[in-house]
Amino acid sequence: MKLLHLDSSILGDASASRQLSAAVTKAWKNSQADVQVTYRDLASDALSHLSAASFVAGGTPAELRDAAQDHEVALAETTLEEFLAADAVVIGAPMYNFTVPTQLKAWIDRIAVAGKTFTYTENGPQGLAGGKKVVIVSTAGGIHAGQVSGKAHEDYLILVLNFLGITDIEVVRAEGLAYGEEPKANALRAAHEQIDGLFAAA
């Protein structure tokens, strides 16, 4: 099984989402011997944001591209191929200013590709990337799940994944991390217990 592990926090080793996404990946590997992990750190090895230059590069014949365009196309193709090849995805998704990190949004813009991961039909949009299992590791300093303030975070990620045809989604959540040491410790403990529960059957 091919597992794609993504981190997007800018906080390095101090990041709760990184610690929890690593725990999910470790538990997955322990529960299934044949797991092959591809890791992408979207913060330290950031993708460029989608731009007019991205579209121009993609639409330029290979023999006419300059070096920058070649790099842009190769980056887009590699990112998309990693996602398409994955049977499962772990997404570390901290909340920054009520939404996902821009680094994670840049990745989403690279994998949401018409004709590859979704298409439009006369009956509406149809996802083409179904059959994957996704675990979203959601962290936040405040309490936002189920609130209006969380719509552009967890709800947004689920909306995008559903649009791409992915419905097998679990959310591992640790909220209130900025409310003090005890609430933080309790939230992380509960998240680890949830992770253990995800793979208990296996």
Side-chain angles (χ1 to χ4, degrees), residues 10 24 39 41 76 100 106 110 113 119 131 147 149 151 161 183 198:
I10 62 174
V24 172
Y39 179 68
D41 190 330
V100 298
R110 299 296 181 163
V113 180
T119 188
Q147 308 297 316
S149 58
K151 293 293 185 184
L161 293 169
L198 287 179

Side-chain angles (χ1 to χ4, degrees), residues 13-104:
D13 292 340
S15 162
S17 68
R18 285 177 180 270
Q19 295 169 24
L20 293 172
S21 72
V24 172
T25 299
K26 181 179 179 181
W28 216 322
K29 289 175 68 178
N30 288 341
S31 70
Q32 193 167 338
D34 64 341
V35 174
Q36 299 175 5
V37 179
T38 297
Y39 179 68
R40 182 178 282 272
D41 190 330
L42 298 172
S44 66
D45 189 16
L47 298 168
S48 58
H49 288 280
L50 199 63
S51 65
S54 305
F55 287 111
V56 170
T60 300
E63 66 274 12
L64 298 179
R65 294 177 194 144
D66 59 25
Q69 290 175 326
D70 274 337
H71 176 73
E72 176 69 22
V73 171
L75 190 66
E77 289 179 347
T78 299
T79 304
L80 179 60
E81 287 167 5
E82 279 180 353
F83 173 69
L84 289 173
D87 302 299
V89 186
V90 176
I91 302 175
M95 175 184 276
Y96 292 166
N97 299 317
F98 303 106
T99 189
V100 298
T102 59
Q103 293 88 345
L104 181 52

